[in-house]
Amino acid sequence: MQETVLSVDLGGTKILVGEVTRTGEILASKKYPSKVENQRIATAEIKKAIKDYLKQQPVYGKLTGIAICVVGRVDTKTGTWLEIHPGLADAIPLAEEMTELFQLPCWVANDVTSAALAEKVLGIGKQTKDFIYINIGTGIAGRIIHDGQLIGGGHFNAGEIGHTVVDINSEVACSCGRKGCVELFASGLGMHNQTRRFAADYPDTLLDVAKDQRTSFQELVAAYEQQDALAKKVVDQALQAAAALTMNLIRVSDPEAIVFGGGIMNDGWFLSHLVTLLNAKTIRFVTKGIQVTALDPNTIALKGAAVLAFIDKGEL
């Protein structure tokens, strides 16, 4: 019987639990609602989801551990969830608590770290040991893999590239305390906020800026393709910011490949426009390409959490 890991991906609206093999195959999975007001509530929801899964779902392999990916800063070596976001920190020994409750070894990682590990073992890492994974969704984050090793930083906070400044003249303030960060312009939430910011200047826009819901990237693209001036301003600004971020990271780390993930990147539209803004001299050593991940964006973090467990067990 093949060994498997029960992998858990905590998201803002859902918890995905699945049984994953060493090769990244998901044998079965189930979704649960999530609550992420704080780490204690989220931890209770994760425990509840795992209990239900083990009670309701058959286990197909030899379950050897639990692997969890969460939002925020994580000490992966100790399995401690340090904070869900800056300003809301409550260090929880998550791996220890799960091991005690379920009598299985447990591994914990940040969700973007997990996605990068999935790329390292199951994706672009089969072609190169030097790449950058950039996730552009509601927010922006990334991870650098250098010589096959993930750069974690002295405080487990490396890769928070959403807070890289791409406009030194910007007066738009970021939650990190700086101004002009790329996340303010190129993330899903950032583009929504920029749409609202400039809406008064474009009274004839095709976008429904009066609605309470967030303006989606798909709505922006649809309006962009119809030459809507507001959509073009917001999206072109996002593309320029994301291109600047990409080239800055290339200059810093000299990767052979760039892999994008996240909801904004899923259908390839954003990347197809972004690459036209990249300087040829800057990207000349990115010989393995600039691409959207070939892994399923809905399960990449789930698989990556399992990868961490198998790596630690020496099975990959």
Side-chain angles (χ1 to χ4, degrees):
M1 181 180 292
Q2 66 179 330
E3 291 192 350
T4 59
V5 169
L6 190 66
S7 196
V8 181
D9 176 14
L10 172 69
T13 59
K14 66 170 177 58
I15 298 171
L16 180 62
V17 182
E19 186 181 1
V20 185
T21 71
R22 180 177 58 81
T23 59
E25 180 184 2
I26 300 172
L27 301 180
S29 65
K30 187 175 180 180
K31 292 181 182 179
Y32 299 87
S34 68
K35 297 177 183 178
V36 291
E37 293 92 329
N38 60 60
Q39 289 162 262
R40 293 290 170 183
I41 291 174
T43 297
E45 291 296 303
I46 291 171
K47 291 176 179 178
K48 180 180 176 183
I50 294 173
K51 285 180 180 177
D52 180 82
Y53 187 94
L54 292 174
K55 181 179 179 181
Q56 301 293 335
Q57 298 291 320
V59 174
Y60 295 98
K62 180 183 178 184
L63 202 60
T64 60
I66 297 171
I68 303 171
C69 62
V70 298
V71 176
R73 196 160 56 90
V74 178
D75 180 347
T76 299
K77 289 184 178 179
T78 65
T80 304
W81 190 9
L82 297 169
E83 62 183 22
I84 196 166
H85 62 72
L88 190 57
D90 182 9
I92 295 176
L94 190 56
E96 181 180 318
E97 289 189 13
M98 294 298 172
T99 295
E100 182 178 347
L101 180 60
F102 296 105
Q103 295 299 297
L104 286 167
C106 180
W107 295 263
V108 184
N110 167 273
D111 56 348
V112 180
T113 294
S114 294
L117 289 174
E119 282 295 338
K120 175 178 180 275
V121 174
L122 306 171
I124 195 65
K126 293 179 179 179
Q127 300 178 43
T128 177
K129 292 184 177 180
D130 292 276
F131 69 91
I132 302 172
Y133 175 79
I134 302 174
N135 191 91
I136 303 182
T138 301
I140 297 177
R143 293 295 183 267
I144 295 172
I145 303 290
H146 170 65
D147 196 23
Q149 300 299 312
L150 184 143
I151 297 175
H155 302 88
F156 323 106
N157 205 37
E160 291 307 310
I161 58 175
H163 301 294
T164 300
V165 172
V166 293
D167 183 356
I168 61 173
N169 297 311
S170 175
E171 290 300 317
V172 182
C174 183
S175 61
C176 74
R178 306 175 79 192
K179 295 179 180 179
C181 294
V182 65
E183 191 168 277
L184 298 171
F185 308 111
S187 68
L189 180 57
M191 282 186 267
H192 162 78
N193 289 337
Q194 292 296 306
T195 301
R196 294 298 187 269
R197 177 187 175 201
F198 295 117
D201 298 331
Y202 298 90
D204 297 326
T205 181
L206 299 172
L207 297 165
D208 184 1
V209 295
K211 66 177 183 178
D212 293 333
Q213 294 85 3
R214 183 187 299 178
T215 299
S216 71
F217 178 63
Q218 289 71 28
E219 290 175 282
L220 282 165
V221 168
Y224 186 101
E225 296 289 1
Q226 296 182 65
Q227 303 301 310
D228 181 82
L230 175 57
K232 287 186 70 66
K233 181 176 182 64
V234 170
V235 175
D236 283 342
Q237 179 179 250
L239 289 164
Q240 290 164 6
L245 169 68
T246 303
M247 289 186 287
N248 288 343
L249 292 173
I250 289 170
R251 287 297 192 186
V252 167
S253 63
D254 187 25
E256 289 192 311
I258 303 287
V259 180
F260 286 96
I264 300 302
M265 308 303 298
N266 281 352
D267 65 0
W269 188 96
F270 196 86
L271 181 59
S272 69
H273 289 72
L274 185 153
V275 293
T276 66
L277 302 175
L278 300 179
N279 181 277
K281 290 182 179 179
T282 298
I283 66 173
R284 69 189 187 279
F285 297 129
V286 187
T287 55
K288 301 297 184 182
I290 299 171
Q291 59 201 264
V292 174
T293 179
L295 301 177
D296 183 346
N298 296 311
T299 58
I300 185 172
L302 189 79
K303 292 181 178 182
V307 163
L308 173 64
F310 284 111
I311 287 176
D312 192 68
K313 293 193 300 176
E315 294 182 15
L316 285 172

